[in-house]
Amino acid sequence: MHRLSRRSAAVIFGHGGSRYRNAVAPISASSYLHNSVGESNNKPRWFSVITSGKYQSLTQLNFKTGLYFGHRFESTTAASDASTTPPVERYEYQAEVSRLMDLIVNSLYSNKEVFLRELVSNASDALDKLRFLSVTEPELLKDAVDLDIRIQTDKDNGIITITDSGIGMTRQDLVDCLGTIAQSGTAKFLKALKDSKDAGGDSNLIGQFGVGFYSAFLVSDRVVVSTKSPKSDKQYVWEGEANTSSYTIREETDPEKLIPRGTCLTLYLKRDDKGFAHPERIQKLVKNYSQFVSFPIYTWQEKGFTKEVEVDEDPSEVRKDEQDEKTEKKKKTKTVVEKYWDWELTNETQPIWLRNPKEVTTEEYNEFYKKTFNEYLEPLASSHFTTEGEVEFRSILYVPSISSTSKDDIVNPKTKNIRLYVKRVFISDDFDGELFPRYLSFVKGVVDSNDLPLNVSREILQESRIVRIMRKRLVRKAFDMILGISMSENREDYEKFWDNFGKYLKLGCIEDRENHKRIAPLLRFFSSQSEEDMISLDEYIENMIPEQKDIFYIAADSVKSAKNTPFLERLHEKKIEVLYLVDPIDEVAIQNLKSYKEKNFVDATKEDLDLGDKNEEKEKEMKQEFAQTCDFIKKHLGDKVASVQISNRLRSSPCVVVTGKFGWSANMERLMKSQTVGDASSLEFMRSRRVFEINPENPIIRRLDDAIKNNPDDRNARKFIDILYGSALVTSGFTPEDPAELAGNLHELMHMVIEGRSFFPDPNVQYQGANSTTSETLEAEVVEPVEAGSKK
């Protein structure tokens, strides 16, 4: 049951008005209206009154008092005397409506709820037209009705009424605009403005395509339009039903349904769509789609206030009080909530992005961010800007404090972080990379354009040059905002940003080659000289030694494993800083960058590492000295390695396995093998050639070289090579093909060490042991005794 509170009744009936539970008291002609603060207001206001549970419209005007009174609006046209009722005229649509309506209802719009957006936009256009025309024709506003939009629902009967006090329509306007599908009255009005001499005025008209009104049939079986133009003395009613090829127009003669000006649109919802008639849902849709329409939008909402009421006392307590005359009687009360219905302003009339940025405080920006995107933390940064020239639009962008809890956002281009408005009407927040690239999907904000090219349903952006220009400018502003965080005096701000969104920027290195110069300065990595705090590429270049020409990096699964790898021995010795790429995406991102400020990125695990100190004569001597050993190792390892070379990157380690210049590194090969959908054939194809590098200065390699030269057929030498190669695979980041064989060889080596034996015995040393196989039996020589001085 709809009822009015004592406060609301006083507003409508004056201070002496009474409030009834089930019906509104009759109002005398001498009643007057007060506004919400008790002051007299000469401007009439719209009110809706529901009596006896029946639905009422906002239609009658008492011209003596200037009041609008609500009266019952039945679900069917009220019957009246045939002698006084003008005939109903039936018209045929000026199109093949059965097919076109089917397209509108089933194909044109992807979401049913946009019907309210379209109808509110039409109402806003009607108000804008009236305001524009009243500049030269002030008599159009003679009725002094507030310019607003009011939406009322009847959830029991599934009825929605949308009323505006705009320009209204004549009979011919109804035939032209509602009778001819896809003819836009707004477009026609804009064309007339363009052709006129006064076309310089600013217009905020929204409609373009003329099919917005027919979105009402997405949810309605029947639509009734009652409209009154200030240019006409008569009010007309347009009525149409879904799946029909005709409509009717008649003159409104019922005095209780007459309105001074504007349009009242009544939707009789389909059975499956009656849920749209709930006041809470209508309010939610208005806030989502029409929050920033330039005219106030009121919705009819149930409200409540608390009050104290007396309660009946317990008879036993009453007798006890009577016995004690000295006890002061206190009336018992309880708090109850009194419900009533009233209009509630649902939208904000001034969008924050239309204001001058100098006049908006940081607190206002943060409050708008929290309210729009349902956030509880303040953003790290914001950017409010306006672009002019060939493409004009306004925007506010934000960098959140934390990343989304969803792990799929980085690979999901359809994030709902950018809200697109056209002339302050919300269009969509579901894009597939048209306005923002995938790697910047964490940026949140609003974009409002007056001339953005949309399709007829307004929900899908058309691929155009304007959209591409908008995208470039939005991306540029986003990078400027992130760069501002990185240059902040508080280093913790960017560390917080990088922890949450660093992976997004690395993804940008892969996907957006055009913006490499903007992305690269924002990247951060650990390094051999900064294992605790990440550094930028600019800081790395500042720390480079004079003779260093390249930026060196190594990819590993952790800082510790990268630090202890044998690849960096010579680099550490020369005090060359090396970047540690410990994130799985790091290596791919750096490979796509290729260079930064004319410094090439060089993988320290690849062959032909150039440290700028080559001694060609010494290298030539080493190659000749160890040529036999290198050939022997290559022959023994076979296809496991592409070649065996003398290393220039090792200092203490005996050997290492490096990869070729092309193909995967050891780290990338490990990552690809771990993929659940990895293809064995593609893994084999992309696996890089392996080069076995030996350190000629290491005593192990020198002993192996001596053994091979002394006894090329020594079986132990071959086993020793297998142990060296297997251990080199592990330290280089590879996985041994046969870990059991490597473990067996290591166990055998340990057993020989325990027994005091060596893989390569010294020919000048005899080893005695319990199981020695090298001992020989020595025969004693017999010497016969002889006499002194005798001759043999």
Side-chain angles (χ1 to χ4, degrees):
M1 183 67 63
H2 305 286
R3 55 190 177 183
L4 299 174
S5 66
R6 191 186 310 275
R7 177 175 59 82
S8 296
V11 171
I12 298 178
F13 308 135
H15 295 291
S18 323
R19 191 176 125 276
Y20 291 86
R21 181 173 299 275
N22 296 323
V24 177
I27 308 174
S28 65
S30 61
S31 299
Y32 59 93
L33 182 65
H34 293 273
N35 60 16
S36 59
V37 294
E39 297 176 355
S40 178
N41 189 351
N42 295 328
K43 288 187 177 182
R45 294 175 58 194
W46 291 94
F47 287 92
S48 179
V49 183
I50 297 178
T51 59
S52 304
K54 293 191 177 182
Y55 187 78
Q56 298 198 6
S57 65
L58 322 171
T59 54
Q60 186 181 10
L61 172 66
N62 187 325
F63 290 98
K64 294 182 179 180
T65 62
L67 294 177
Y68 295 103
F69 302 128
H71 287 273
R72 187 171 59 194
F73 190 89
E74 302 293 349
S75 59
T76 58
T77 305
S80 59
D81 189 358
S83 61
T84 59
T85 302
V88 176
E89 300 182 15
R90 183 170 297 276
Y91 294 84
E92 294 291 329
Y93 286 106
Q94 300 299 314
E96 217 300 300
V97 72
S98 60
R99 297 182 62 186
L100 188 56
M101 192 70 75
D102 181 69
L103 287 174
I104 293 173
V105 174
N106 298 316
S107 302
L108 192 59
Y109 295 96
S110 59
N111 191 354
K112 282 187 175 183
E113 66 183 22
V114 301
F115 82 92
L116 189 65
R117 178 194 71 189
E118 298 294 318
L119 299 179
V120 170
S121 298
N122 288 344
S124 176
D125 282 353
L127 293 166
D128 246 327
K129 292 176 186 177
L130 177 64
R131 184 168 59 181
F132 185 86
L133 294 175
S134 64
V135 175
T136 56
E137 302 178 65
E139 65 275 8
L140 296 178
L141 295 175
K142 62 182 179 181
D143 295 318
V145 181
D146 291 337
L147 300 179
D148 57 22
I149 303 169
R150 296 180 181 263
I151 306 175
Q152 189 174 23
T153 60
D154 180 5
K155 63 181 180 181
D156 296 330
N157 297 315
I159 301 174
I160 299 177
T161 300
I162 303 173
T163 306
D164 69 76
S165 54
I167 190 64
M169 289 180 282
T170 63
R171 175 190 288 270
Q172 191 59 41
D173 292 336
L174 288 174
V175 175
D176 293 341
C177 298
L178 304 188
T180 305
I181 295 179
Q183 176 171 314
S184 172
T186 297
K188 191 175 181 179
F189 183 78
L190 290 174
K191 185 177 184 302
L193 287 181
K194 185 177 181 181
D195 296 338
S196 68
K197 297 181 180 179
D198 300 329
D202 184 18
S203 176
N204 292 319
L205 298 178
I206 301 169
Q208 301 178 58
F209 305 104
V211 295
F213 166 76
Y214 297 96
S215 64
F217 291 101
L218 290 170
V219 296
S220 308
D221 285 323
R222 183 162 66 97
V223 178
V224 177
V225 181
S226 182
T227 182
K228 169 70 167 58
S229 172
K231 297 181 179 181
S232 173
D233 296 333
K234 297 181 180 180
Q235 179 176 327
Y236 296 97
V237 179
W238 182 99
E239 185 171 347
E241 296 183 3
N243 302 320
T244 60
S245 60
S246 62
Y247 59 93
T248 61
I249 297 179
R250 59 179 173 84
E251 181 183 344
E252 181 62 79
T253 56
D254 188 346
E256 295 184 351
K257 297 179 181 179
L258 296 179
I259 58 178
R261 183 190 69 230
T263 301
C264 179
L265 184 67
T266 305
L267 311 181
Y268 297 88
L269 302 180
K270 300 175 183 178
R271 177 182 300 178
D272 296 338
D273 297 315
K274 289 187 176 181
F276 285 108
H278 285 265
E280 296 82 4
R281 189 168 187 184
I282 288 295
Q283 189 179 53
K284 181 179 179 182
L285 292 178
V286 170
K287 288 184 176 181
N288 186 40
Y289 289 100
S290 306
Q291 177 79 2
F292 303 106
V293 168
S294 56
F295 296 96
I297 303 176
Y298 296 91
T299 56
W300 189 244
Q301 298 293 329
E302 185 179 23
K303 300 183 178 182
F305 66 95
T306 59
K307 69 175 184 177
E308 299 289 332
V309 296
E310 297 182 7
V311 296
D312 296 335
E313 297 183 0
D314 190 355
S316 61
E317 294 183 1
V318 173
R319 288 193 299 269
K320 184 178 180 181
D321 292 339
E322 291 176 352
Q323 295 174 1
D324 190 0
E325 297 179 355
K326 296 182 180 181
T327 304
E328 183 180 356
K329 287 187 177 182
K330 293 184 178 180
K331 295 181 180 181
K332 292 190 174 182
T333 62
K334 66 177 182 179
T335 302
V336 297
V337 178
E338 189 73 16
K339 297 296 182 70
Y340 67 98
W341 289 79
D342 198 1
W343 291 111
E344 180 176 322
L345 181 63
T346 306
N347 68 322
E348 298 177 4
T349 57
Q350 178 65 22
I352 189 174
W353 61 80
L354 295 182
R355 296 168 58 185
N356 188 336
K358 297 180 180 179
E359 300 175 356
V360 185
T361 64
T362 303
E363 290 73 18
E364 289 177 312
Y365 282 127
N366 294 345
E367 186 63 28
F368 175 77
Y369 168 76
K370 294 178 182 179
K371 184 178 180 181
T372 304
F373 300 102
N374 297 322
E375 294 285 349
Y376 61 93
L377 294 176
E378 294 182 354
L380 282 178
S382 63
S383 177
H384 183 185
F385 59 94
T386 301
T387 61
E388 298 179 350
E390 185 179 4
V391 177
E392 297 183 4
F393 65 91
R394 298 173 182 265
S395 178
I396 301 179
L397 300 179
Y398 295 93
V399 174
S401 297
I402 58 174
S403 62
S404 173
T405 55
S406 175
K407 296 181 181 180
D408 297 331
D409 280 353
I410 195 170
V411 294
N412 180 18
K414 294 187 177 182
T415 54
K416 298 181 180 295
N417 289 341
I418 299 297
R419 295 176 60 85
L420 175 64
Y421 292 81
V422 173
K423 296 183 179 179
R424 304 168 313 284
V425 176
F426 174 66
I427 299 301
S428 178
D429 57 2
D430 188 5
F431 301 109
D432 193 9
E434 291 97 337
L435 286 180
F436 254 87
R438 179 173 67 161
Y439 68 92
L440 288 178
S441 60
F442 63 90
V443 176
K444 298 184 178 182
V446 296
V447 180
D448 186 10
S449 173
N450 288 342
D451 54 357
L452 191 66
L454 305 173
N455 69 353
V456 179
S457 69
R458 306 190 192 189
E459 298 166 278
I460 303 173
L461 284 176
Q462 293 177 347
E463 180 60 29
S464 69
R465 180 168 170 268
I466 296 179
V467 174
R468 291 193 295 270
I469 295 175
M470 287 184 63
R471 175 188 169 108
K472 288 183 179 179
R473 295 185 179 178
L474 288 171
V475 170
R476 187 185 310 156
K477 289 294 183 179
F479 278 120
D480 291 343
M481 184 169 49
I482 299 172
L483 184 62
I485 302 176
S486 68
M487 298 176 65
S488 172
E489 296 180 357
N490 187 359
R491 188 181 179 96
E492 295 180 357
D493 288 343
Y494 195 73
E495 291 177 354
K496 185 177 181 181
F497 167 83
W498 185 257
D499 290 340
N500 286 281
F501 308 110
K503 289 185 178 180
Y504 290 82
L505 296 184
K506 295 172 187 176
L507 181 63
C509 296
I510 302 171
E511 296 186 342
D512 192 354
R513 187 177 300 274
E514 294 181 359
N515 286 301
H516 277 178
K517 292 184 179 180
R518 291 189 174 95
I519 299 174
L522 303 173
L523 300 178
R524 297 293 184 271
F525 303 99
F526 293 107
S527 74
S528 57
Q529 298 180 13
S530 180
E531 298 176 4
E532 299 295 332
D533 298 324
M534 289 186 167
I535 64 170
S536 66
L537 295 178
D538 290 321
E539 292 173 319
Y540 179 95
I541 293 177
E542 290 178 3
N543 298 333
M544 290 174 59
I545 61 177
E547 63 270 18
Q548 184 178 345
K549 300 179 180 179
D550 301 315
I551 300 175
F552 294 94
Y553 69 89
I554 183 170
D557 57 352
S558 67
V559 173
K560 185 177 180 180
S561 61
K563 176 183 177 181
N564 297 324
T565 183
F567 294 105
L568 307 183
E569 292 176 356
R570 281 288 307 282
L571 293 167
H572 288 328
E573 184 182 57
K574 294 176 66 65
K575 296 183 179 181
I576 296 178
E577 190 172 13
V578 181
L579 298 177
Y580 293 160
L581 310 185
V582 296
D583 200 329
I585 197 176
D586 285 350
E587 186 175 2
V588 182
I590 287 295
Q591 289 175 352
N592 279 270
L593 280 181
K594 295 183 180 179
S595 65
Y596 179 67
K597 291 186 176 179
E598 299 181 356
K599 306 288 185 181
N600 294 325
F601 289 100
V602 176
D603 189 348
T605 67
K606 299 286 187 177
E607 64 176 331
D608 296 335
L609 183 66
D610 184 10
L611 300 180
D613 59 349
K614 283 188 175 183
N615 190 334
E616 296 182 357
E617 293 184 1
K618 185 178 179 179
E619 289 183 3
K620 186 176 181 181
E621 292 177 1
M622 286 293 182
K623 289 181 180 179
Q624 292 177 354
E625 181 180 353
F626 287 86
Q628 182 179 351
T629 301
C630 291
D631 293 341
F632 183 87
I633 296 174
K634 174 63 177 76
K635 183 177 180 181
H636 175 68
L637 294 178
D639 295 335
K640 294 180 181 179
V641 296
S643 64
V644 180
Q645 299 178 5
I646 302 299
S647 178
N648 67 335
R649 74 186 79 211
L650 299 177
R651 267 294 174 258
S652 59
S653 299
C655 56
V656 71
V657 177
V658 302
T659 53
K661 291 184 178 180
F662 307 101
W664 289 334
S665 65
N667 180 70
M668 184 58 63
E669 186 176 322
R670 175 179 57 84
L671 293 175
M672 296 307 297
K673 284 183 177 179
S674 65
Q675 300 297 317
T676 56
V677 293
D679 185 5
S681 60
S682 63
L683 290 176
E684 190 66 26
F685 176 75
M686 287 301 298
R687 192 177 75 168
S688 178
R689 60 193 295 268
R690 296 177 181 177
V691 178
F692 189 49
E693 290 189 358
I694 58 176
N695 181 8
E697 299 177 358
N698 187 274
I700 297 177
I701 298 300
R702 287 195 171 276
R703 190 61 186 274
L704 176 63
D705 179 64
D706 293 339
I708 292 174
K709 290 178 178 178
N710 293 332
N711 186 8
D713 297 327
D714 189 355
R715 185 179 69 89
N716 287 341
R718 300 177 185 275
K719 282 191 176 182
F720 197 76
I721 293 173
D722 290 336
I723 294 175
L724 284 176
Y725 178 70
S727 63
L729 286 175
V730 175
T731 58
S732 302
F734 293 99
T735 301
E737 297 178 0
D738 192 351
E741 180 183 358
L742 175 61
N745 290 334
L746 289 173
H747 294 161
E748 183 177 350
L749 175 61
M750 295 170 63
H751 186 71
M752 296 180 67
V753 172
I754 292 173
E755 293 181 345
R757 293 184 293 136
S758 172
F759 260 82
F760 314 115
D762 191 335
N764 300 320
V765 180
Q766 294 182 355
Y767 292 89
Q768 300 291 336
N771 299 323
S772 176
T773 59
T774 61
S775 62
E776 297 180 357
T777 302
L778 300 178
E779 296 182 358
E781 181 181 357
V782 180
V783 180
E784 296 179 355
V786 296
E787 294 181 359
S790 62
K791 294 182 180 179
K792 190 174 176 179

